Amino acid sequence: LHGYSDDQTIWQRRTSVERYAASHNLAIVMPGVNHSFYCNEEYGERYWDYVSQELPMMMHRFFRLSDKPEDTFVAGLSMGGYGAMKLALNQPERFGAAASFSGAVDIASTRQRHNHNWKRITGGKSIKGTENDLFHMLKVNGEATHKPRLYVSCGTADFLYGQHKKFIPALKKAGWDVTAYEEPDATHEWGFWDQEIRKFIEFCFE
């Protein structure tokens, strides 16, 4: 899943994800959601419905893809890291593993950076305690019978590092199997994410 300043083409242009996936016979689906933060917008499009329901349904119609959780993974960077965690926490039964790289996982804090977009997305309503709040979803789905393994990474020099540090203990407290990684001095950049997507693909097949 792509970040806030990018689109669905960015992973192929900035990383070797296609090459990494080839040896594992993976189909990689990369949707575009503009600046929606993978949410249903109050004044716009229903991007959450798109990525969580419509797109998976269409992909299974078009291609012979496994629908087994152990064969299904989701990952993203920055805004896409939030989207990946939102999918994993809301629909844990669908996935074998999920990853966030440099994720904007504390959506209430992120809102302050992109307030004009949140007015369109939420209509000015509070995010805290809603289905768009990952910390709230940890409480709601804490008793899920199946939980995917999580891989959550961030660079220590990333502007979202504080959100990463807050998210990891919340995941562990809620009983999720999380592997956390911090890259010393790494910032919000593609060299780190290229490394991380390769590591996550290997993580999925451990």
Side-chain angles (χ1 to χ4, degrees):
L1 303 180
H2 70 80
Y4 182 82
S5 61
D6 300 315
D7 63 20
Q8 69 277 10
T9 69
I10 194 66
W11 276 101
Q12 286 177 296
R13 290 189 285 114
R14 295 295 184 91
T15 75
S16 296
V17 64
E18 184 176 4
R19 181 162 55 86
Y20 303 151
S23 61
H24 294 286
N25 198 31
L26 274 178
I28 302 214
V29 181
M30 294 172 281
V33 301
N34 296 318
H35 293 163
S36 68
F37 275 84
Y38 298 86
C39 296
N40 286 334
E41 297 175 324
E42 188 76 13
Y43 307 112
E45 306 297 333
R46 301 187 66 81
Y47 285 108
W48 172 248
D49 290 348
Y50 165 57
V51 296
S52 66
Q53 300 175 34
E54 296 170 5
L55 183 61
M57 179 181 66
M58 294 305 297
M59 290 301 97
H60 284 287
R61 285 184 180 180
F62 290 160
F63 305 109
R64 297 197 307 174
L65 303 178
S66 171
D67 61 0
K68 297 177 181 178
E70 61 265 30
D71 296 332
T72 307
F73 319 107
V74 61
L77 68 93
S78 196
M79 180 183 79
Y82 162 77
M85 291 296 101
K86 185 177 179 182
L87 281 164
L89 299 187
N90 275 276
Q91 300 176 343
E93 71 285 351
R94 284 182 53 197
F95 302 100
S100 167
F101 315 131
S102 310
V105 289
D106 184 3
I107 207 69
S109 297
T110 306
R111 177 177 179 172
Q112 304 308 314
R113 294 178 60 88
H114 307 292
N115 198 46
H116 59 293
N117 282 316
W118 283 110
K119 290 179 180 178
R120 184 189 72 248
I121 294 169
T122 69
K125 301 172 186 174
S126 173
I127 296 166
K128 190 177 178 64
T130 71
E131 68 275 7
N132 294 322
D133 179 354
L134 297 184
F135 292 89
H136 174 67
M137 294 313 301
L138 283 174
K139 299 175 183 178
V140 171
N141 284 336
E143 301 303 319
T145 55
H146 170 82
K147 294 178 179 178
R149 294 183 303 131
L150 303 181
Y151 179 87
V152 183
S153 66
C154 192
T156 61
D158 195 300
F159 70 92
L160 292 174
Y161 181 61
Q163 296 189 26
H164 169 85
K165 293 294 286 185
K166 179 180 178 181
F167 192 48
I168 298 302
L171 287 169
K172 292 180 177 180
K173 183 178 180 180
W176 290 74
D177 179 2
V178 55
T179 296
Y181 174 71
E182 299 175 1
E183 177 86 0
D185 302 320
T187 59
H188 212 68
E189 57 88 23
W190 280 100
F192 176 62
W193 300 325
D194 180 67
Q195 163 192 295
E196 291 303 285
I197 192 62
R198 186 174 191 175
K199 287 169 57 177
F200 177 63
I201 289 173
E202 298 300 326
F203 176 87
C204 291
F205 292 93
E206 288 177 353

